[in-house]
Structures are given as C-alpha cells and as structure tokens.
Amino acid sequence: MRGLVNVDNIPKQVYPSTSSQAPAGIPRLWKSTPILPTRHLFKTIVNIGVGRTNQVVPVHLELLCSVSPVFEATFNRESGFRESNTSYCTLPETRVEVFQYFVQWLYTRSLEHEDLVGPKPAYSRLIRMYVLGDVLGATMLKNAVIDKMVEVVNQTLACPIPADTELLYENTMETAKLRILILDVFENRNIISLIKTHEGNW
C-alpha cells in the first residue's frame, strides 16, 4: 500500500504527545490546541477557491482568522487587498481534499478522518496538512498534525516511504518540527535495514 512501510520484529518507541493529556513527566513540545471554537466565530462567510480548478469552499471568516494570520491579513479591509472587498481568495497550489481536511479540523479541532488515520494511515496526507499549516501560518494546525502523527507512530509500526519524506523535505524548512519527529522515528525504527530492502531515495 502506497504511503506505508511495515517494519516487523523491532521495538516500538513511544513518543511524547503535545497534548495536555500527556502523562506527568513527559515533556511537551508546545501548548495543547485550544478547545472547540465558540459561537462568535460563526458570523461571516467567505469563499476560498482551492486547487487548479478553484473549487469554491465556503468557510466562516472569523474562524479562519482565529487560526491563520495569513487569512487575517488577506481579509483585513485596511490591508487594501482585493480579497478584503470580494470576500474571495484562492489557494491554487493546495489540493482540494487537503483543504477539506483542514476545514474539518477548523470546525471540530479533530483529525479523526478515516482517510487520514484509518486502518492504514496515509502519512502523505498528514504531511500535506502540515505543509498547508506552514502556508497559512497556522501553528495550531501544525501542532495538531504532529499530535496525530505521534499517535499513529505509537499505535503502528508504519514508517513514511521515500515519497513521503521527499514531500516533507521539499515543502518545509530545515527547522520544521515534523522533520524532527520523522528523523526520530527513522532512528528508532532501524531505518538502515529499511533502506536496504526498499527502493527509493530516503
């Protein structure tokens, strides 16, 4: 199955979550994601044209701005941007399904979607979510993605495949926390033997 490499007969390393539910003594990388959004964030609808076809996805403006300084600046009427008057902006480089996952998280603060964390989790989708968080300056989203990745790593013996690591490294900065997590996974999952038995540039 694309997106997964199963590694057997090796010990599982348990990684600390960023969640506030982490056991005492387990370090957190940052503060936990806030609780569900409140009703004052559901006032104004804006339309986001996503992907090369500009598929329109309606979202509450206040909710977008609460997690993304990029959207906050884009739709600020004092910015002078056209989008602030049309209530419409585009994300041509973002895949529609990835933005839809983002919208689900935006309203529910959950990444419990079967396409993201089903029986065979797709690391590439979580990585694209992290990249979108980078684009939007949405730190809470990036933290949520890492929380979910930690959960998946602790529950399975699945490792990202070469295409996943390439996607991550081509679209994130050297200091990206997701890079740090993946490198730690590789180190603790005996990646050297993995490289020898699987094709691709790791």
Side-chain angles (χ1 to χ4, degrees), residues 68-134:
S68 170
V70 173
F71 279 127
E72 185 176 18
T74 299
F75 289 109
N76 186 337
R77 293 191 179 278
E78 296 181 357
S79 68
F81 294 140
R82 178 182 60 184
E83 290 85 352
S84 64
N85 293 316
T86 62
S87 297
Y88 174 81
C89 77
T90 61
L91 293 172
E93 302 302 320
T94 300
R95 294 189 177 189
V96 174
E97 66 270 18
V98 173
F99 192 77
Q100 289 172 337
Y101 299 144
F102 163 66
V103 172
Q104 173 187 290
W105 170 83
L106 190 63
Y107 283 91
T108 67
R109 294 298 193 267
S110 171
L111 292 175
E112 293 297 329
H113 191 289
E114 60 182 7
D115 290 341
L116 294 174
V117 294
K120 296 182 179 179
Y123 281 115
S124 63
R125 294 190 178 103
L126 288 172
I127 291 171
R128 290 185 190 279
M129 289 280 288
Y130 187 92
V131 171
L132 178 60
D134 249 358

Side-chain angles (χ1 to χ4, degrees), residues 3-23:
L4 292 171
V5 173
N6 291 317
V7 187
D8 299 320
N9 302 320
I10 53 178
K12 292 178 65 175
Q13 175 74 18
V14 178
Y15 300 89
S17 170
T18 64
S19 169
S20 58
Q21 300 302 315

Side-chain angles (χ1 to χ4, degrees), residues 55-68:
Q55 180 171 325
V56 174
V57 180
V59 192
H60 282 97
L61 170 64
E62 295 81 8
L63 195 53
L64 286 174
C65 294
S66 72
V67 301
S68 170

Side-chain angles (χ1 to χ4, degrees), residues 121-189:
Y123 281 115
S124 63
R125 294 190 178 103
L126 288 172
I127 291 171
R128 290 185 190 279
M129 289 280 288
Y130 187 92
V131 171
L132 178 60
D134 249 358
V135 170
L136 300 179
T139 301
M140 287 192 295
L141 173 61
K142 294 195 294 182
N143 290 352
V145 169
I146 292 186
D147 275 347
K148 183 54 61 178
M149 192 80 81
V150 167
E151 180 181 320
V152 171
V153 166
N154 284 334
Q155 291 177 350
T156 72
L157 288 176
C159 287
I161 63 170
D164 296 333
T165 55
E166 183 177 359
L167 174 65
L168 176 63
Y169 273 75
E170 286 185 349
N171 294 279
T172 60
M173 299 183 66
E174 186 176 350
T175 56
K177 290 182 173 65
L178 188 56
R179 285 194 186 191
I180 297 172
L181 174 62
I182 295 301
L183 287 175
D184 196 31
V185 171
F186 283 169
E187 181 179 354
N188 286 281
R189 293 290 171 86

